[in-house]
Amino acid sequence: MGNTKSRSTNAAAARSKRPKGPTESAKRKKKVEEEQQTLMKSSANREQTINIHSKHKAGNKQRAQNVFAQPIDMTESFTAPSYPKSPEAIRFIDNALADNFIFASLTKSERRQLINAMKADSAPAGEVIIQQGDIGDYFYVVEEGNVTFAVDGNHVGACSTGATFGELALLYDCPRAATCLANTDCKLWSVDQRTFRHMLANSNASQQKDTVDVLK
C-alpha cells in the first residue's frame, strides 16, 4: 500500500517537472514569423525572376536599348482601376494567367486585383496591336480571335483564345520584340505597366506593415 502511494507521488512529481509546451502567445508569434519569412521569400523569388530576364535581355546585342522599368514612386497617389466582369470572364482570365511566370508568385488577392484592373479591348482583323520596336507597356489576354507574331517581317508564331502576350512590358521599358497582328476580329483583356507595378508595390507594403504590427 505504502509502495503504491509512493509510486503515485513520484509519477505526479515527474509529470510536474516535464517541460510545458509553448504558450498560445508564443505559437502566434512563431506563426507570424513564419508568414513573414514566406512573404520575404516570395518577394525575393519574384525579384530574382525579374532579374534573370533582365540580364538575359541586357545580354542580347539586338536589344541594347532594353532597360528595367523605373522604380515606383510610392508617394504618388494611385488607385487601381476596377472594371466590372462576369464570373465567367473572371475565371477565364484567371486560367489564362495561371501558367505565366510573371504571375506565378502572386497571392490570390493580388491575382484578383490584377483581374479586376484588366479592361475589355478589341482589335479588328488586320490591326497591328503591337509594333516591333515600339516601347510598349500593355499586357494582353486573348478572349476571342487569332493573333499572329512577326519578327523583321517573318512569321514566327500565332496565338488564340486563352493565350497571353506582351507580358514583358509589365517589367521593362523596352522595345517590343515582335509585331502582333490581329489575324481575325479579336476580343482582348489588357492591363498597363503602371497599374500592375503599383498594385504589387502596394500589396507588398501592406502585407509587411500588417506583419510588423502583429509583432509589436
Side-chain angles (χ1 to χ4, degrees), residues 93-108:
I93 298 173
D94 193 42
N95 289 334
L97 301 180
D99 297 327
N100 197 301
F101 79 92
I102 290 180
F103 314 112
S105 62
L106 295 184
T107 64
K108 185 176 181 179

Side-chain angles (χ1 to χ4, degrees), residues 68-74 76 173 193 197-198 201:
F68 191 63
Q70 295 299 313
I72 291 295
D73 181 4
M74 292 304 294
E76 178 186 11
D173 292 325
Q193 180 194 90
R197 290 175 62 80
H198 263 286

Side-chain angles (χ1 to χ4, degrees), residues 111 147 155 169 174:
R111 284 169 67 90
V147 177
H155 177 79
C174 61

